[in-house]
Amino acid sequence: MSSIIRAAPPAAPGGRHFPCRIIDLWKTDKVLFSAQTPKLNVVLEDPDDNKFIECAVALKARFLVSGDKHLTGIKDYMKIKIVSPKEFLDLM
């Protein structure tokens, strides 16, 4: 989370501080974590990033939010939308 806060702009349109909006989402019951994930080979350019898609698949996520170009370049996997933090907040 600290990398998100450091990389975030100081304020989002409408005056709401970007990291606070992300933290508010994490405080809801819409964020889950999982220890058991399937083994996938989706991110060919950076196989270490597969763990994020594996987790999203295991949790039946609708979104995977990342600033990583290898992930956002995929855009969609098994009906999981892979978007940047800005794209995600624009959708909310």
Side-chain angles (χ1 to χ4, degrees), residues 9-82:
R16 184 80 168 125
H17 192 62
F18 178 87
C20 293
R21 289 182 66 192
I22 296 293
I23 292 168
D24 287 346
L25 287 171
W26 285 344
K27 289 179 184 176
T28 70
D29 60 354
K30 295 178 182 14
V31 178
L32 302 171
F33 298 91
S34 175
Q36 296 184 3
T37 60
K39 294 298 175 200
L40 301 171
N41 189 22
V42 179
V43 190
L44 303 178
E45 298 85 7
D46 189 356
D48 285 343
D49 286 346
N50 283 313
K51 62 187 165 212
F52 301 110
I53 293 181
E54 292 166 357
C55 188
V57 168
L59 296 171
K60 298 179 179 124
R62 292 186 353 203
F63 292 93
L64 191 159
V65 181
S66 176
D68 187 294
K69 290 185 271 185
H70 299 118
L71 289 170
T72 57
I74 295 169
K75 302 208 185 295
D76 187 287
Y77 182 76
M78 294 180 65
K79 298 184 181 180
I80 299 168
K81 302 290 183 213
I82 304 172

